[in-house]
Amino acid sequence: MIIILLGPPGAGKGTQAKDLAQRLKVPHLSTGDLLRQNVKENTQLGKLAKQFMEKGDLVPDNLVTGMFVEQIKSADFKNGFILDGYPRNLAQAKTLDEILKQRKGRLYVIYLDTCEAIIIQRLSGRRICSACGANYHLKNMPPKRDMLCDKCDGELIQRTDDREETIKNRLAVYLKSTASLIDYYERQKKLYRISGNDEAEIVLNKIINLVSAEDK
Ligand code: AP5
């Protein structure tokens, strides 16, 4: 099975993708995580992507799709996978359609429908581990020890694109470029709406129940 998690910034795509990957035992591919890794390692791609990411703009398609296709080719995705952050616009959705034509497995596009007040609260309180990238929230999912990662003791930091002005731009970019994918996948009868406003565990169970029931 192939699951695309679709939704605005802060809807919980990354949180759900990691938990789903564990529960369903399929890999998780996050274009945001891959890009941040490239920025951290100061690769050529990272240097080019950084300026767009810091402003909250989309990284140009040729850069992202090249990286995405490489990753899909190199990893063991034969039993399916979970996508978080790709596709992000119509051109990327069409590229993905072509890639999926050569693969077996049913496609589920899970749209995490989340209200703006919750998005802002989540993004402004998010902290990530500077070493392993694990995700926390100051109120909703705090670390056990003050500002230290539970998994690797790394220092927790704020993502540079989680500042207030950048959050506003990311939401505008989402509405302009990504939200139209809801209709795109609805027309293909692949779209499933789930409220992203609930607690993470509730959202996770709803997704698992949905894909388990549909897969029977
Ligand atoms: P990306 O990393 O994909 O960012 P995003 O889509 O803006 O999504 P976020 O990571 O902000 O939110 P999320 O929905 O994953 O929420 P999360 O689970 O973290 O992309 C970053 C940038 O990379 C883009 O702006 C762009 O520049 C570039 N990029 C990436 N892909 C691209 C592409 N395909 N094309 C072009 N450019 C691309 O949760 C947020 C917070 O809320 C966390 O603190 C979490 O702990 C908390 N939380 C989550 N769920 C819940 C819940 N149910 N209840 C309470 N708290 C919760």
Side-chain angles (χ1 to χ4, degrees):
M1 109 185 27
I2 295 153
I3 299 178
I4 296 176
L5 293 169
L6 189 64
K13 303 181 295 296
T15 303
Q16 295 301 328
K18 287 188 183 92
D19 289 348
L20 276 171
Q22 269 194 350
R23 290 271 289 265
L24 301 174
K25 300 189 173 45
V26 287
H28 154 218
L29 205 163
S30 157
T31 44
D33 285 351
L34 285 172
L35 287 166
R36 277 184 289 281
Q37 190 62 29
N38 274 277
V39 171
K40 195 172 163 191
E41 289 168 6
N42 207 22
T43 64
Q44 192 57 29
L45 170 61
K47 284 181 200 157
L48 293 168
K50 188 172 183 220
Q51 53 190 311
F52 298 97
M53 296 172 77
E54 279 181 346
K55 282 191 271 177
D57 289 335
L58 293 187
V59 175
D61 284 349
N62 61 328
L63 298 178
V64 174
T65 296
M67 170 189 82
F68 176 74
V69 170
E70 276 310 302
Q71 196 72 20
I72 288 271
K73 270 198 232 151
S74 63
D76 180 11
F77 289 154
K78 62 179 181 299
N79 293 327
F81 49 90
I82 297 165
L83 292 182
D84 151 25
Y86 195 99
R88 210 79 168 208
N89 58 28
L90 211 53
Q92 293 184 8
K94 289 185 174 164
T95 303
L96 183 63
D97 283 349
E98 287 305 310
I99 294 172
L100 296 185
K101 272 185 194 161
Q102 295 143 33
R103 288 178 177 270
K104 289 193 190 128
R106 181 163 173 179
L107 174 65
Y108 297 88
V109 182
I110 311 284
Y111 166 46
L112 296 176
D113 191 358
T114 313
C115 72
E116 191 169 319
I118 288 190
I119 289 170
I120 290 170
Q121 186 266 355
R122 284 186 189 164
L123 293 182
S124 52
R126 170 166 54 194
R127 295 296 180 270
I128 58 165
C129 174
S130 54
C132 74
N135 216 336
Y136 296 87
H137 189 279
L138 294 178
K139 243 172 102 183
N140 307 346
M141 300 175 192
K144 293 194 183 96
R145 291 156 306 153
D146 194 28
M147 298 308 276
L148 290 180
C149 178
D150 295 348
K151 294 172 190 154
C152 76
D153 293 341
E155 186 198 351
L156 302 193
I157 53 167
Q158 186 170 38
R159 260 171 57 172
T160 49
D161 60 351
D162 276 346
R163 300 198 181 107
E164 204 181 322
E165 331 72 70
T166 321
I167 292 176
K168 282 189 193 142
N169 187 43
R170 285 164 65 202
L171 285 171
V173 168
Y174 168 78
L175 289 176
K176 183 166 166 253
S177 303
T178 312
S180 61
L181 296 183
I182 299 168
D183 275 355
Y184 180 79
Y185 286 115
E186 199 145 51
R187 280 198 299 275
Q188 294 187 11
K189 303 201 183 330
K190 306 256 167 66
L191 191 92
Y192 300 84
R193 287 169 194 264
I194 286 193
S195 168
N197 297 329
D198 296 327
E199 279 174 32
E201 187 68 21
I202 295 176
V203 179
L204 179 68
N205 286 329
K206 281 187 186 169
I207 301 175
I208 289 178
N209 289 342
L210 188 151
V211 296
S212 312
E214 293 275 332
D215 238 35
K216 275 179 191 155

